[in-house]
Amino acid sequence: MTQPSSHAVAPPWAMLAELTHGCPLRCPYCSNPTELVARAAELDTGEWARVFEEAAALGVVHAHLSGGEPLLRRDLVEIVGAARGAGVFTQLVTSGVGLAGRRVAELVEAGLHSVQLSVQAAEPAESDRIAGRRSFMAKELAAAAVVEAGLPLGVNVVLHRHNLDRIEDLIELGIAWGAERIELANTQFYGWGLLNREALLPTREQLSRAESIVTKYREKTGVELIWVIPDYFDGVPKPCMGGWGAISITVAPDGRVLPCPAAYDLPLDLPNVREHALSWIWEHSAAFNAYRGTAWMAEPCASCPRKELDFGGCRCQTYALTGDAAKTDPACGLSPDHHLITRLSARESVKEKPFVYRELKRPPSVVDP
Ligand code: SF4
Ligand code: FES
């Protein structure tokens, strides 16, 4: 593993604050780790306040308050207030369950800046099926409450085989709910998404049809549409996290700090805000320096002209598929492991499997070797 660098490291500007892994929903594509943090181990209000102060001093200007479901934190209003006090803008990333009336007003008063609301499908029954719990009505009410409170609303949809064919309806739903921004994010296969890969993997035809519909809507609507590319199909790796330890920092519910929200399973010694200052973690911890920059790369990345563009792809996906996070992402057509992806995208496109729903207890692995 690369030693901590001695030169100055550019500061992060974004933070993902995972306030809790508790969640009323059970989405099978959840990017949380399969081993979730217990509620009793969570940072308390004062610890989060200190984290925001340290983050602001480091350069962070924007924090996503996420989970799990951050509304499960009874001290969410205090946490939002602490972030605002530190000078950090906050966006609530929520399922919408529990976001109504008075809670919205309190969060606005505490300084909440915007809300990103997830929805699983445009059909209420299908949305509830994918979420593993009745929740569509609560989301609809939450969207109305957010818009009424004057907060910018974003809608996030994780896309997969079960909802890609209804992408027009999902875009229309976001527009009807008053979203300024609709994020259409193809499932990333790690965490629970990896456990459910066979059930979720779409076909190439589904993806190309959906992408052309997004292009069509971009021309006719003023709503911002974000299409997060599926990297299993086109041989081009994604520039994950804008580079390792480059722009963003993730704080887990128990204070562990990660270069990427999906890095729990990597063989890294994760530092903790309970033991170290955030600035030391960002600049000097081994975890943040492990894949920073390009010096760690082996071939074919080391001599590739795209290495500053995609940073060798996703470390978490690479580790999940090859067992070595320092290799070239198998999503890349130049990777010697690319067959791992092409084999999967061809083989699994025809399989139907039931969901393994997210739960606090770690499930048995159901991923093929
Ligand atoms: Fe990116 Fe490495 Fe593939 Fe080049 S070889 S395109 S740097 S992942
Ligand atoms: Fe962790 Fe890509 S999800 S680096």
Side-chain angles (χ1 to χ4, degrees):
M1 192 173 285
T2 309
Q3 289 305 302
S5 58
S6 53
H7 58 80
V9 178
W13 59 267
M15 182 166 87
L16 180 71
E18 290 185 345
L19 302 182
T20 178
H21 278 166
C23 188
L25 304 196
R26 303 164 60 219
C27 306
Y29 52 72
C30 183
S31 61
N32 283 162
T34 49
E35 192 146 6
L36 297 164
V37 173
R39 300 293 317 264
E42 292 172 4
L43 298 179
D44 64 23
T45 322
E47 287 174 312
W48 276 114
R50 179 172 62 76
V51 168
F52 285 118
E53 275 167 25
E54 291 187 15
L58 187 54
V60 169
V61 293
H62 194 270
H64 295 269
L65 307 181
S66 177
E69 174 50 70
L71 289 164
L72 289 181
R73 289 283 305 221
R74 294 212 177 119
D75 56 354
L76 182 61
V77 170
E78 288 79 10
I79 289 173
V80 168
R84 180 176 69 173
V88 176
F89 289 107
T90 47
Q91 178 175 68
L92 184 68
V93 181
T94 178
S95 68
V97 176
L99 187 61
R102 191 158 160 64
R103 197 91 193 270
V104 180
E106 288 171 353
L107 289 167
V108 171
E109 201 172 314
L112 185 68
H113 193 248
S114 59
V115 173
Q116 181 181 283
L117 179 66
S118 67
V119 66
Q120 282 68 21
E123 281 272 297
E126 180 63 357
S127 183
D128 293 349
R129 181 183 78 84
I130 295 169
R133 180 198 147 143
R134 284 183 71 169
S135 51
F136 186 88
M137 292 296 288
K139 292 170 185 290
E140 198 161 36
L141 292 172
V146 169
V147 171
E148 196 183 323
L151 285 181
L153 173 70
V155 165
N156 171 275
V157 190
V158 175
L159 296 171
H160 44 78
R161 181 190 304 174
H162 299 262
N163 60 9
L164 268 164
D165 293 338
R166 303 290 301 273
I167 198 160
E168 299 104 317
D169 298 343
L170 281 159
I171 296 171
E172 292 288 352
L173 181 80
I175 294 170
W177 280 3
E180 295 180 5
R181 184 175 192 269
I182 303 172
E183 186 175 293
L184 302 157
N186 285 282
T187 303
Q188 308 288 308
F189 294 108
Y190 27 69
W192 293 83
L194 183 60
L195 279 178
N196 284 289
R197 188 173 50 192
E198 289 186 33
L200 295 170
L201 200 66
T203 64
R204 189 180 293 276
E205 290 68 35
Q206 281 184 299
L207 283 167
S208 62
R209 181 181 167 275
E211 191 167 10
S212 68
I213 288 168
V214 173
T215 305
K216 188 184 82 184
Y217 266 92
R218 280 207 179 111
E219 287 159 9
K220 72 172 196 178
T221 175
V223 175
E224 187 185 4
L225 295 180
I226 312 291
W227 171 258
V228 180
I229 58 163
D231 62 356
Y232 261 48
F233 288 85
D234 55 10
V236 180
K238 58 181 181 282
C240 213
M241 303 305 298
W244 187 269
I247 56 176
S248 173
I249 196 162
T250 295
V251 181
D254 58 359
R256 281 177 291 167
V257 188
L258 302 93
C260 158
Y264 288 94
D265 293 334
L266 265 58
L268 296 168
D269 186 13
L270 292 174
N272 196 302
V273 290
R274 286 174 164 147
E275 289 150 17
H276 299 285
L278 213 52
S279 58
W280 180 88
I281 291 172
W282 177 259
E283 289 165 18
H284 301 296
S285 68
F288 274 76
N289 282 290
Y291 310 110
R292 189 174 252 154
T294 56
W296 58 272
M297 291 177 176
E299 296 295 347
C301 294
S303 57
C304 179
R306 282 185 52 84
K307 69 180 178 185
E308 305 275 1
L309 298 175
D310 64 31
F311 320 109
C314 173
R315 296 305 91 221
C316 301
Q317 175 162 278
T318 302
Y319 182 72
L321 293 179
T322 72
D324 180 357
K327 295 179 88 173
T328 296
D329 187 339
C332 175
L334 300 175
S335 160
D337 299 305
H338 189 51
H339 64 280
L340 295 173
I341 293 274
T342 49
R343 190 188 67 197
L344 286 166
S345 54
R347 186 194 66 176
E348 294 181 324
S349 61
V350 293
K351 278 196 182 179
E352 289 299 337
K353 280 196 103 179
F355 293 150
V356 180
Y357 283 106
R358 177 195 197 274
E359 57 183 330
L360 265 176
K361 201 164 116 276
R362 189 184 177 103
S365 174
V366 293
V367 181
D368 291 343

